[in-house]
Amino acid sequence: MTQHMKPLLPDRIDTLFINCHVATMADNALSIIEKAALTVTGKTISWIGKEKEIPDLLKTKDPKIIDCHNGWILPGFVECHTHLVWAGSRSNEFGMRLNGIIYEEISKKGGGIFSTVKATRNASKDELFTLASKRVNVLLKQGITILEIKSGYGLNLKTELKILEVIRLLDKNFPLHIEATFLGAHALPSEFANNPDGYIDLVTHTMLPKVKAQGIATAVDTFCEPIAFTLPQTKKVFEKAKDLGFNIKLHAEQLSNSYGAALASGFNALSCDHLEYLSLSGAKKMAQHNVTAVLLPGAFYFLKETKKPPVDTFRDLKIPMAVSTDLNPGSSPVHSMTLILNMACMLFDMTCEEALLGSTINGAKALGLEQSKGSIEVGKDVDLVVWDIDTPADLCYLAGLTPIDRVMITGRIHQTT
Ligand code: NIG
Ligand code: FE
């Protein structure tokens, strides 16, 4: 039984939303309540149900009333995979790729991630904060209320800490809830070109303990791929990260089957991300350890990939599927969640319901936040968007349009225009 069917009446109500329909995303489905109302007490959803069934007692509490004019309320989007703190531009590489040079080639020639690392190392904390703020503002206007940001364009202690500090400042200065992930093992910096194990030692012995001591990241991610780090190197990072109490995430099976998903599952990872080349045995491991699959159609699209992630297998094995922009300067400079929803449907054959679950409750699962965020249920945080749409599927269908009426984050309304 869903929580909204057995409401506990709150003593106080701050806000009452009326004249709306709600896609709650409870119970792994859209779970629609038409002609609905919901109440907010503090930062918590305190009642939800049919508008005509609002208990008389609640009407006497004198809340602020928000008329949604027949609009739809959905949980705010949970954007669970971005790399949005970077400096510099890679538009030149976009041109190279249009001329047929592939991502791995550009990376091998010192471009790709390395070009962003150079620019990010040279940028001050203030410059990075200004650049990243613009991107966070765009995401806020896209209906994103929960956001994950990875480091990984520093590849030395000083710059990795600088990026994580910028993420902390973004969290402080913006209403969104922001989770920081340490991605020190994103690429091998040129200083360690002949000594990858030396770099992994730096990550495990120096960077991870420092990041932990400063409390500026909750998860650790690694790029396990022939152009980045091997399986044994990834394992070393995870062993230390687990010891220190970090959550685990992995860029896995994006460009080849490197067996990363199976490894990460053994560490009870929150998520494995990309997964185009995932094998059936890797998927079974993910299912066994309740790992969320984060699908990134923007990177698939920008890299002109042809191998799709095994969505049917995820369905069969009941592996939760999240979707995300992967916002980064190289493989996915995509700033729009609604465009990503459309791509998830068009490129990965997901249903609109799957894409919407992927950008809400399953995104929250990928961040370990599903107990308090990602769906509209009594007792959960009020992170919601009122949309001026006819049906939730419009968010997948009207590619790139963002018809937001208003956004509420932890109980407070935020202007998005
Ligand atoms: O998620 N795969 C590795 N990392 C990013 C790409 C970063 C970049 O190209 O700058 C990704 O696709
Ligand atoms: Fe990524």
Side-chain angles (χ1 to χ4, degrees):
M1 180 183 279
T2 55
Q3 292 179 49
H4 63 256
M5 295 169 81
K6 233 172 73 181
L8 282 175
L9 294 188
D11 293 337
R12 190 188 94 224
I13 298 174
D14 300 314
T15 312
L16 168 63
F17 287 85
I18 57 164
N19 204 7
C20 57
H21 313 289
V22 184
T24 69
M25 306 292 165
D27 304 325
N28 208 22
L30 290 176
S31 298
I32 285 169
I33 307 174
E34 287 184 342
K35 295 190 184 353
L38 74 85
T39 69
V40 174
T41 303
K43 66 181 189 85
T44 309
I45 295 166
S46 45
W47 185 88
I48 179 164
K50 289 274 190 197
E51 188 175 327
K52 62 173 194 280
E53 290 167 12
I54 299 176
D56 287 339
L57 184 65
L58 293 190
K59 292 184 198 151
T60 64
K61 306 273 180 190
D62 198 26
K64 175 176 182 257
I65 293 178
I66 295 182
D67 184 339
C68 299
H69 306 290
N70 214 26
W72 279 84
I73 297 182
L74 269 78
F77 287 138
V78 181
E79 168 49 270
C80 66
H81 180 141
T82 78
H83 308 247
L84 68 73
V85 180
W86 82 79
S89 166
R90 305 244 296 272
S91 60
N92 60 331
E93 289 177 14
F94 179 59
M96 287 163 79
R97 287 213 309 273
L98 291 179
N99 282 322
I101 307 178
I102 63 167
Y103 186 69
E104 285 106 313
E105 274 314 306
I106 294 172
S107 163
K108 279 182 197 149
K109 289 188 177 129
I113 292 172
F114 303 105
S115 115
T116 303
V117 168
K118 200 168 164 211
T120 306
R121 284 180 178 180
N122 286 334
S124 70
K125 193 159 74 179
D126 284 355
E127 284 163 349
L128 279 180
F129 179 78
T130 304
L131 289 165
S133 292
K134 289 184 194 162
R135 298 171 194 135
V136 173
N137 257 320
V138 172
L139 297 186
L140 189 55
K141 288 185 179 135
Q142 292 282 317
I144 287 163
T145 58
I146 295 143
L147 170 62
E148 186 255 19
I149 309 175
K150 301 172 196 299
S151 69
Y153 291 127
L155 310 184
N156 61 27
L157 179 64
K158 187 172 151 220
T159 318
E160 286 296 312
L161 291 179
K162 179 172 71 179
I163 296 170
L164 291 171
E165 177 62 16
V166 169
I167 299 172
R168 198 185 63 78
L169 288 174
L170 292 167
D171 187 38
K172 241 175 109 179
N173 285 276
F174 284 88
L176 302 89
H177 175 98
I178 300 181
E179 290 279 322
T181 298
F182 172 65
L183 177 57
H186 191 195
L188 185 64
S190 53
E191 310 87 271
F192 285 87
N194 298 315
N195 184 15
D197 289 327
Y199 182 65
I200 291 298
D201 284 347
L202 179 72
V203 168
T204 51
H205 301 329
T206 308
M207 294 192 192
L208 278 171
K210 272 265 170 10
V211 171
K212 185 68 193 178
Q214 297 194 13
I216 46 177
T218 50
V220 168
D221 194 344
T222 296
F223 190 20
C224 182
E225 201 67 56
I227 61 164
F229 296 99
T230 64
L231 206 57
Q233 289 162 347
T234 304
K235 184 164 177 251
K236 272 192 179 169
V237 175
F238 285 172
E239 277 167 351
K240 184 69 181 186
K242 207 66 190 174
D243 269 3
L244 292 170
F246 286 104
N247 291 323
I248 303 290
K249 300 173 85 65
L250 184 65
H251 280 70
E253 273 68 282
Q254 178 186 10
L255 307 167
S256 63
N257 182 9
S258 302
Y259 304 96
L263 176 78
S265 301
F267 284 89
N268 291 314
L270 285 178
S271 72
C272 288
D273 304 33
H274 288 285
L275 299 172
E276 279 82 348
Y277 287 81
L278 182 68
S279 65
L280 181 58
S281 65
K284 284 185 177 162
K285 276 270 184 199
M286 286 178 63
Q288 197 185 329
H289 293 270
N290 203 17
V291 180
T292 296
V294 177
L295 306 182
L296 305 165
F300 174 91
Y301 167 80
F302 258 87
L303 299 183
K304 293 193 175 178
E305 288 284 345
T306 49
K307 191 161 168 50
K308 300 181 185 197
V311 165
D312 278 338
T313 305
F314 297 140
R315 289 183 184 124
D316 290 348
L317 298 176
K318 303 209 175 341
I319 293 172
M321 290 182 278
V323 295
S324 157
T325 62
D326 192 11
L327 175 52
N328 75 68
S331 65
S332 187
V334 179
H335 293 64
S336 166
M337 183 59 102
T338 50
L339 183 57
I340 285 295
L341 293 179
N342 181 266
M343 286 186 188
C345 299
M346 297 299 296
L347 300 175
F348 291 170
D349 309 308
M350 292 172 78
T351 65
C352 290
E353 181 171 56
E354 285 170 338
L356 288 166
L357 288 166
S359 57
T360 55
I361 186 67
N362 290 346
K365 281 184 194 158
L367 298 177
L369 297 175
E370 72 274 21
Q371 296 305 325
S372 58
K373 299 192 179 286
S375 62
I376 298 181
E377 297 178 78
V378 171
K380 279 196 159 184
D381 292 350
V382 194
D383 297 308
L384 59 79
V385 179
V386 184
W387 296 96
D388 179 14
I389 50 176
D390 296 327
T391 161
D394 281 354
L395 295 175
C396 305
Y397 155 67
L398 299 168
L401 192 72
T402 313
I404 289 183
D405 180 33
R406 63 187 84 214
V407 175
M408 182 176 255
I409 304 178
T410 48
R412 293 184 50 210
I413 290 285
H414 291 277
Q415 228 45 52
T416 57
T417 48

